[in-house]
Amino acid sequence: MYDIDPSRIDLAQEFKRKPFGRHSAELQRVLNRMRSEPFEGHYVLLRDNRFGPWKLAQLGRRPQDPMILTGDLFQDRIEAEWAVFKLRWKRLTGQDLALD
């Protein structure tokens, strides 16, 4: 499995600049690794309706287990995606991402 190099802050900066659309091959590898985490504890974004806030949740151990809301709310999807990226980065590298 692909290991994320925590010193590659440039990849995090690339994601922050452009969270949607085409990415460099290296950033795409990072995103593929982040998105292929085991089910339990995987971070996801939820939205109750088209205009509501984005809610951060974590998946349970099995698909039928309830999701656990973290209490974090985001009005902006880009802000929400960045928050998830940072959480996944920390989970996979063991290091906080030193970018805001």
Side-chain angles (χ1 to χ4, degrees), residues 81-99:
E81 293 285 352
W82 178 239
V84 170
F85 184 92
K86 292 191 301 184
L87 288 166
R88 290 177 177 171
W89 181 279
K90 181 171 182 165
R91 184 173 176 157
L92 293 170
T93 67
Q95 297 182 21
D96 286 318
L97 190 52
L99 293 174

Side-chain angles (χ1 to χ4, degrees), residues 46-89:
L46 306 171
R47 199 173 195 190
D48 292 331
N49 62 57
R50 197 169 134 190
F51 300 105
W54 295 92
K55 299 176 184 180
L56 181 63
Q58 287 185 283
L59 300 178
R61 197 172 123 247
R62 300 171 301 156
Q64 61 268 33
D65 290 344
M67 289 184 233
I68 301 163
L69 293 173
T70 66
D72 295 301
L73 296 174
F74 305 92
Q75 296 302 317
D76 179 66
R77 183 173 175 203
I78 292 173
E79 178 187 354
E81 293 285 352
W82 178 239
V84 170
F85 184 92
K86 292 191 301 184
L87 288 166
R88 290 177 177 171
W89 181 279

